[in-house]
């Protein structure tokens, strides 16, 4: 009697184990589908200025801190990319994002140019609260107008030759990192990623139907 009970309990345990394993396979599959369908947390392009692949316009300007002549739109350091970050002295997100921009740019080996507009007093107050650590700070409404930037913080990634490789609105670390990551993945923007992914899925569905 006890032997029969032992066999029955083992059978039930194995049945429960197999059912649980089947359930886990289903859950893993659903997670994979959700991951495939979910969009990356990339920077969204909301400007109508120079496009991806264009060479950046060049601006001969002076830094706000020491009035040093700088060519914005070309490499600050030969061979290194440049990250143009359009900011504002009264923008709380810009201030919060500055250490993140600094950290990401350092890991990617890029120079950072902070481009802002406003009064001299506003810039001095901003810089007193957020001292620079190697970044260039430019006060130039002209550059923002040429790039048609309407929202900040907004990033534009230039390669060593001044070609625009990525751009978009940057509110988080993921947004800043995506400017570099999309280039590595062969996409210049989140919109490009979504468009190519949608096209690829449509082709795949069409092949399955045929």
């Amino acid at each position: 009697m006890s032997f029969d009970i032992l066999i029955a309990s083992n059978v039930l345990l194995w049945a429960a184990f197999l059912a649980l394993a089947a359930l886990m396979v289903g859950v893993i599959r659903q997670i994979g589908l959700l991951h495939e369908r979910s969009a990356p947390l990339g920077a969204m392009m909301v400007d109508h200025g120079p496009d991806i692949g264009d060479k950046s316009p060049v601006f001969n300007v002076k830094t706000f801190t020491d009035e040093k002549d700088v060519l914005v739109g070309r490499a600050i350091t030969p061979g290194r990319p440049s990250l143009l970050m359009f900011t504002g002295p009264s923008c709380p997100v810009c201030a919060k994002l500055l250490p993140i921009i600094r950290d990401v740019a350092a890991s990617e080996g890029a120079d950072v140019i902070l481009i802002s507009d406003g009064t001299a007093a506003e810039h001095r107050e901003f810089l007193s609260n957020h001292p620079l650590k190697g970044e260039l700070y430019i006060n130039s409404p002209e550059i923002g107008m040429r790039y048609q930037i309407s929202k900040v913080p907004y990033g534009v990634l230039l390669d060593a030759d001044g070609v625009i490789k990525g751009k978009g609105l940057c509110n988080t670390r993921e947004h800043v990192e995506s400017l570099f990551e999309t280039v590595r993945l062969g996409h210049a923007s989140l919109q490009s990623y979504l468009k190519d992914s949608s096209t690829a899925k449509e082709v795949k569905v069409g092949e399955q139907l045929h």
Side-chain angles (χ1 to χ4, degrees):
M1 179 70 69
S2 60
F3 183 71
D4 292 338
I5 294 174
L6 180 61
I7 292 176
S9 64
N10 282 334
V11 171
L12 289 173
L13 284 173
W14 274 105
F17 173 77
L18 293 174
L20 181 61
L23 179 63
M24 289 300 297
V25 170
V27 171
I28 292 172
R29 183 173 181 275
Q30 289 301 315
I31 292 174
L33 289 173
L34 287 173
H35 183 268
E36 182 179 340
R37 293 172 183 171
S38 62
L41 298 175
M44 291 290 291
M45 290 194 299
V46 295
D47 71 280
H48 300 284
D51 206 351
I52 303 295
D54 293 344
K55 209 153 191 178
S56 171
V58 179
F59 306 89
N60 191 348
V61 294
K62 293 181 180 293
T63 58
F64 178 79
T65 51
D66 53 9
E67 297 192 347
K68 176 184 176 182
D69 289 324
V70 174
L71 280 180
V72 174
R74 294 296 179 265
I76 301 300
T77 304
R80 283 168 61 96
S82 300
L83 179 59
L84 312 184
M85 286 302 304
F86 293 88
T87 66
S90 59
C91 169
V93 178
C94 300
K96 182 179 179 181
L97 200 65
L98 182 55
I100 295 173
I101 294 169
R102 185 177 292 140
D103 183 56
V104 174
S107 65
E108 296 288 348
D111 293 317
V112 176
I113 302 96
L114 302 174
I115 303 169
S116 186
D117 60 6
T119 67
E122 289 175 325
H123 294 307
R124 282 193 291 268
E125 181 179 0
F126 177 84
L127 292 173
S128 67
N129 294 325
H130 309 282
L132 300 177
K133 295 184 178 180
E135 304 84 15
L136 299 180
Y137 193 92
I138 308 295
N139 178 21
S140 175
E142 177 192 359
I143 302 177
M145 291 173 62
R146 181 65 180 85
Y147 268 99
Q148 298 188 36
I149 304 300
S150 60
K151 297 180 180 180
V152 294
Y154 202 90
V156 177
L157 177 63
L158 309 180
D159 68 10
D161 296 318
V163 176
I164 302 171
K165 305 300 292 184
K167 57 179 180 174
L169 190 64
C170 296
N171 291 318
T172 66
R173 171 180 283 273
E174 287 80 8
H175 293 162
V176 179
E177 290 176 338
S178 74
L179 296 178
F180 297 91
E181 190 61 31
T182 51
V183 175
R184 284 192 285 267
L185 295 175
H187 297 278
S189 67
L190 175 57
Q191 289 95 324
S192 172
Y193 175 89
L194 293 174
K195 181 179 178 180
D196 291 351
S197 297
S198 177
T199 302
K201 288 178 182 178
E202 289 176 1
V203 171
K204 185 177 181 180
V205 170
E207 291 175 347
Q208 290 175 346
L209 292 176
H210 289 83

